[in-house]
Amino acid sequence: MQKKNSATIYDVAHRVGVSLATVSRVVNGNSNVRDSTKRKVLDAIEELGYHPNAVARGLASKKTTTIGVVMPDITDVYYSELARGIDDVANMYHYDVLLTNTDEDPVRETMAVNNLASKQVDGIIFMGNELDHEVVNTISGVNAPVVLAGSVDSEKKLPSVNIDYVEAIKEAMEAVIKNGHDRVAIVTGPVEHAINGMHRLVGYKKALEEAQIEFDDSLLFSTHQDYAAGLQVAEKILATGATAALTYDDEVAVGIMNYLRDHGKKIPEDFEIITSNDTKFTIITRPQVTSIGQPKYDIGAVAMRMLTKLMNNETIELTQVKLPHTLERRGTTLN
Amino acid sequence: MQKKNSATIYDVAHRVGVSLATVSRVVNGNSNVRDSTKRKVLDAIEELGYHPNAVARGLASKKTTTIGVVMPDITDVYYSELARGIDDVANMYHYDVLLTNTDEDPVRETMAVNNLASKQVDGIIFMGNELDHEVVNTISGVNAPVVLAGSVDSEKKLPSVNIDYVEAIKEAMEAVIKNGHDRVAIVTGPVEHAINGMHRLVGYKKALEEAQIEFDDSLLFSTHQDYAAGLQVAEKILATGATAALTYDDEVAVGIMNYLRDHGKKIPEDFEIITSNDTKFTIITRPQVTSIGQPKYDIGAVAMRMLTKLMNNETIELTQVKLPHTLERRGTTLN
DNA sequence: AATGGCATTGTAAGCGTTTGCAATTTACTG
DNA sequence: CAGTAAATTGCAAACGCTTACAATGCCATT
């Protein structure tokens, strides 16, 4: 049971009969303090139940040992796994995490970043499908390092860690094409978003090109990222005569799958599906969903590690990190 | 594009030719400042790109407009939905959220609470299945209000918001019993945890008693909270001759379901399942899983609202809030 | 024109630490 | 034992803001 009115560094100093500076030194473990006095101070701290006031510390030292995390939605399994990676290494380096949900709204993203700045965070990790120009601007204006996790900025100005989306989608496409499909639907988010237009779609088209299949834009679908959206888009996909689909969201994939099965399609025999995020959803369904494998936790962890270096003013050789991806073959694809 | 070296309140005051106090007053929107000077100050703030330093503010005012959230795992859909409710109303009241994952480790929970205290948070929301005595102690020792969300402390000392677990489980049991089952397995976490031993199990037994069915402790299972655990426990459940199961975790429920179906059981005809958390998992599977319906988002939201009152020193009539639950009948139960 | 009272603004003392620099001790050297 | 370097400590100024309290200005009253 600790005391309600916590003691201050002054109380400790006074009790031991040393100066504030000395107490501060032992608390911060650094510098040279004689062992005997260090012990006395430590004892006093124990007895008084002294806990340093982090706010005062932050003001004096200009470091808060707090980082900000900006994410679309804590409820989204994909992002929450990134966040877990972030949090774990943040703790490892003794940083606390200030969390903000933005629902990918640029306005809220901007506000979040500014707010974090005013809270004097030592660094920021930013997640989100698209980096609005405005958002990039305010990010670069902030007086703290920022790294993107699982997000790309088209100008590649900001440090980031991702997988190679182009390559990943291309490989998924190749796998499907190899299985004999030449009409494969691709469902993503808004094409204006770089990650869709400049990565997913590009990978898709590359695979098409190599297989000498004409691109048909009626096979391109844009949806929300949820189960219901999958259910809805499935019918339209069927109407195009597509026999396979690549999806950017696991819930959407499952929605499509369930719809198709309910309408008499056999999966994977009649229709193949490959999704992108390899979340739990792909495991618990029957059949399980084939997916691009992303080291989600690691993306977060590496991003955070990178941030610690930046905050420490270490120079970083590579600022655009691409982590390896895989193709997890499961029940929605043949062989 | 804002300036890197942000201006201080002093710069603003100096530029306008007023005192710090006046600037502070307009920034805090309060008090009485002549309209003309207020305008001048606002202009200067705009021109200098002044953003108040929240750390300095916190030190001076002893309020950080930050709350701490302690949760088992951000990756767990159940908790992340609570967290979303918390975050939304926190924002509504202009609080930021400091997030900590504990994996339900009492040691880490204690550290987390102490750490948040030293960061001078204005309040804390605590989530976790079990409240270790030690943890309750350090919580009560903290100089900031704390409310539990989706967690019970056996001594009912701490403010909390939950559903009525006893009642909810009892109702689920009754539904299953009514369908003719008299051997229904119950799978929960460690019975030593209050929420299991004192709530879930009690509700289960009550229903049993009313139906005049003898309690058989070989039907009681304790597992981890994941899909694999469900797969594993399923076999044992089958061995007991049980024809239905109540689970405390949705992933476990799905694991059991998939295992049983793979072993030739028809669901719900041969075996009924009711789970507890009504997460997305219960929707995307075929069949969909019948579940107790919990207002997860609301539990978080109400807890946070309660915390704002506490932080504001308002008196609260009811500190043990129970939100209404439902029974979402889906495909793993008959009728 | 003096008086009282409210509205507005300024003064300055904190808030609890950190930290550069100076002062004091202690340890060595010859 | 003087003298100097090294190890310990203390001083006091920040850090950027809030907030009692005091001071000033202004206006209506009488």
Side-chain angles (χ1 to χ4, degrees), chain A residues 162-314:
Chain A
N162 288 291
I163 61 167
D164 186 334
Y165 297 108
V166 176
E167 221 4 65
I169 289 281
K170 177 158 170 278
E171 287 169 19
M173 263 305 271
E174 288 168 352
V176 170
I177 290 175
K178 184 188 283 181
N179 285 351
H181 299 274
D182 58 358
R183 287 189 68 73
V184 0
I186 175 166
V187 2
T188 74
V191 185
E192 308 81 64
H193 289 186
I195 196 172
N196 298 317
M198 297 176 55
H199 294 254
R200 296 200 174 100
L201 201 49
V202 167
Y204 174 81
K205 284 181 176 169
K206 272 196 180 177
L208 240 35
E209 194 171 321
E210 287 186 9
Q212 302 189 316
I213 301 175
E214 198 74 25
F215 171 69
D216 175 355
D217 71 357
S218 70
L219 290 171
L220 171 59
F221 296 89
S222 183
T223 67
H224 286 292
Q225 319 190 32
D226 56 45
Y227 182 70
L231 253 22
Q232 282 175 19
V233 80
E235 184 176 2
K236 298 181 197 159
I237 291 178
L238 226 40
T240 65
T243 57
L246 261 46
T247 64
Y248 79 127
D249 180 274
D250 296 352
E251 286 187 61
V252 171
V254 177
I256 293 174
M257 176 172 84
N258 282 344
Y259 180 94
L260 294 181
R261 295 181 75 197
D262 288 348
H263 288 70
K265 292 288 178 187
K266 280 206 185 328
I267 300 201
E269 294 80 0
D270 301 339
F271 198 98
E272 296 194 336
I273 302 175
I274 300 184
T275 186
S276 299
N277 294 341
D278 196 26
T279 60
K280 291 177 182 176
F281 294 117
T282 64
I283 305 291
I284 68 169
T285 57
R286 289 299 159 88
Q288 297 183 332
V289 186
T290 296
S291 178
I292 291 168
Q294 295 193 36
K296 295 182 288 297
Y297 181 93
D298 294 338
I299 292 177
V302 170
M304 183 61 214
R305 178 65 183 105
M306 198 155 145
L307 188 61
T308 63
K309 290 183 183 166
L310 257 13
M311 293 188 294
N312 212 26
N313 288 314
E314 297 175 30

Side-chain angles (χ1 to χ4, degrees), chain A residues 131-152:
Chain A
L131 283 189
D132 183 272
H133 187 61
E134 172 87 5
V135 175
V136 174
N137 253 10
T138 100
I139 284 182
S140 0
V142 163
N143 188 27
V146 178
V147 0
L148 310 178
S151 314
V152 295

